[in-house]
Amino acid sequence: MHTPPPLAVMDYIGPAVAAAIFVLIMSLVREPARRSFNAILVAGASAAYLSGGLGPWEVLYPAIASPAVYLGLRSYRFIGIAWLMHSAWDLVHHLWANPIWPFMPTSSFGCMIFDALIAVWFLAGAPSPRYTARVPSGATRE
């Protein structure tokens, strides 16, 4: 029987900080490349756990995630759904299987937090920060 490793405060804070950095960097990528790139990214993440300790069940997850990933090519909401699905798979691995990074026993738990947080951003439509600058009348923006 697999026993989940004990968690420390940084197992919560580290992934949350990483998710914030991911969102800040990714919000700088222009459309439509941002949506396409992130659909491809979540597709790759779907195969991250192959050989992760659940035997043939590992093949089932990428097959189940594929429709959401495909629909993510046109919709941030589906990218968010795919990341939430991956987050749930992270939890399964944290509780019952091998961590995503063998050298870090709590990595699946951290991945669960990271994926869930970025999923919220995608479900919100992956907004970019809006910078508004006042332009003096008669002046033009360059």
Side-chain angles (χ1 to χ4, degrees):
M1 178 91 187
H2 175 77
T3 304
L7 298 169
V9 173
M10 281 309 293
D11 291 318
Y12 297 88
I13 295 173
V17 169
I21 292 169
F22 174 89
V23 167
L24 287 173
I25 291 171
M26 200 52 64
S27 68
L28 299 174
V29 177
R30 292 192 175 173
E31 292 298 341
R34 181 188 318 161
R35 189 181 59 239
S36 299
F37 176 74
N38 280 287
I40 292 167
L41 190 62
V42 74
S46 297
Y49 281 113
L50 291 177
S51 299
L54 296 175
W57 291 104
E58 297 289 0
V59 179
L60 186 60
Y61 173 71
I64 292 170
S66 291
V69 169
Y70 176 74
L71 293 170
L73 288 168
R74 292 199 170 99
S75 167
Y76 279 123
R77 289 195 180 20
F78 280 101
I79 293 173
I81 290 167
W83 278 119
L84 285 177
M85 292 171 66
H86 193 269
S87 184
W89 200 234
D90 292 327
L91 181 60
V92 168
H93 277 267
H94 175 70
L95 296 175
W96 296 294
N98 301 333
I100 193 164
W101 296 338
F103 57 89
M104 188 177 173
T106 60
S107 59
S108 292
F109 181 82
C111 194
M112 176 195 65
I113 291 174
F114 177 89
D115 295 346
L117 291 174
I118 66 170
V120 171
W121 181 64
F122 286 115
L123 290 170
S128 291
R130 305 258 185 234
Y131 298 103
T132 55
R134 295 210 175 257
V135 178
S137 68
T140 59
R141 290 185 189 208
E142 299 203 31

